[in-house]
Amino acid sequence: MAENRGGRVEEIGCEDRISALPDDLLVRILLSIPTEEAVSTMILSKRWRFIWTMLPVLTYQERKVSVWLFLNKSMEFHKAPVLQILSIRLGPHCPTDADVGKWVENAVNRGVRELFFTLQWSADPTRLPKSLNTCKTLLHLRLSHKILVDFPTSSCLPSLERLQLYYVVYKDEASLVALLSSCPVLELLYVMRNEDDNVAKFSVKVPSLRVLLYFNAMSPDENDVVDPGRSLVVDTPALKHFYIGDHSGDSWSIKSMPCLQDVFIIGQSFHDMSKLLRSASAVSYLGLHLTDELAVYCSTIEFPQLIQCTIAPCDSNWMDSLILFLGNTPKLKELTVDYSLTYEPPVASASWMLRFPDPECLSSSLEKFELKDYVGRKEEKELVEYILGTSKCLRTVTISLRSNLKDKETIMETLKAIFILRFDVQRVIGDGLLVVRMVENLAVGPNNRH
């Protein structure tokens, strides 16, 4: 509204410039907001009434109430010829008589490329439509929880590159084998297992696979009795990245992995830890959630190509094996020790740093040392002093304190005192983080240790 010189009030119209944009630009705008909000734009005007129906990406996620009715109705009106991504997450509020698979079939018929389906209802696991077994356009598939994996030997997923299976139930072992065999170009497989998934022998035989993430949350029974019939078989000759967490005690069969570059191991109940580590002896990166057993094994195996290593002690007596382990890593450049899993560590022997010669990597290659979740225990101080006192190529040291420490200032001053003779404090970032850089290396040999 505006008043002119004659005192008359005139109405000034406001042009709707957004609505004047082409359909493809309006679709791009709606892609930036949640699906539910995008659908609600249909009430803005006639211009917006059907724009949302052309969205190539739809995401439905149950929160406090069931999203099923909204999903069911909106999918009926959706008209995009190609549905690139469909993400559905149905929880305990989903009606148990809902036909949850029909919209998966609808997406397959419209050339879906990425399909993410999580089902956590109170009913039994359900099968997905058979059309999914031969979907030619699918690049990425994620199935989670109460889904029954039932793939026949005739299955064919010629374009599938990434497959995630989270706590699903398998019809039988043959269905798992058929699914993996149907993916000739599969590069990434992410598996998370729990109790009662109906598979005793979990076989991963995929020639094209480059990344394998496998986590098994199952544990031996209360008497620590391991079922001898349970096993994991890995036959992946092109594998480069292997992340494994297993508490089950299942036996292992690991074929040669000549391309392997990095491995991260989590778990306390591996059946044959030595065999697993030897298969990873040529990697350039190694991550370990370190138990007593694992610490001993690592001290007996050589890692001639190892460049980076992350160690997370699990309340283990690992210090006595540290020197031997570092002695088997002659090219190590970066070492990270993360104490976030340590609360009551055993007391290391008083002579842990004097029992063996200093490792070669400390005098010839180690450039970066990081210690996370530092609390100021004697073991931690000794480790810092040992690394500083023996490393001749060290350039950067980073130490971060545990977040809930009460006396951070005192601990930080103690750390600075350790560094002052060999390092120049470069900066202190935030609360409880110390970063230092080398000024002059005054590393001492074993005869000069205090």
Side-chain angles (χ1 to χ4, degrees), residues 60 66-76 90 94-95:
Y60 301 93
S66 175
V67 74
W68 171 250
L69 293 179
F70 171 68
L71 183 159
N72 203 33
K73 182 60 72 173
S74 61
M75 286 291 287
E76 288 181 1
L90 299 175
C94 179

Side-chain angles (χ1 to χ4, degrees), residues 28 40-41 74 79 87 153 180 192 295 386 431 433 438 444:
R28 289 176 63 182
S40 68
T41 61
S74 61
K79 304 300 180 183
S87 177
T153 56
L180 297 181
M192 300 181 74
Y386 176 74
D431 183 19
L433 178 62
M438 189 59 133
V444 296

Side-chain angles (χ1 to χ4, degrees), residues 1 6 68 143 147 178 188 214-215 278 288 300 303 352 360 364 374 382 399 418 421 439:
M1 304 285 284
W68 171 250
L143 303 177
I147 295 174
L188 181 147
Y214 177 89
F215 296 94
R278 291 185 189 282
L288 303 167
T300 64
F303 298 91
W352 69 266
E360 178 184 350
S364 63
Y374 183 91
E382 289 181 350
I399 299 179
I418 296 175
L421 294 178
V439 172

Side-chain angles (χ1 to χ4, degrees), residues 311-326:
I311 295 173
C314 301
D315 284 331
S316 59
N317 191 10
W318 69 288
M319 300 289 283
D320 291 326
S321 302
L322 175 63
I323 307 300
L324 290 175
F325 170 64
L326 292 179

Side-chain angles (χ1 to χ4, degrees), residues 146 155 256 282:
K146 288 197 170 181
S155 301
S256 175

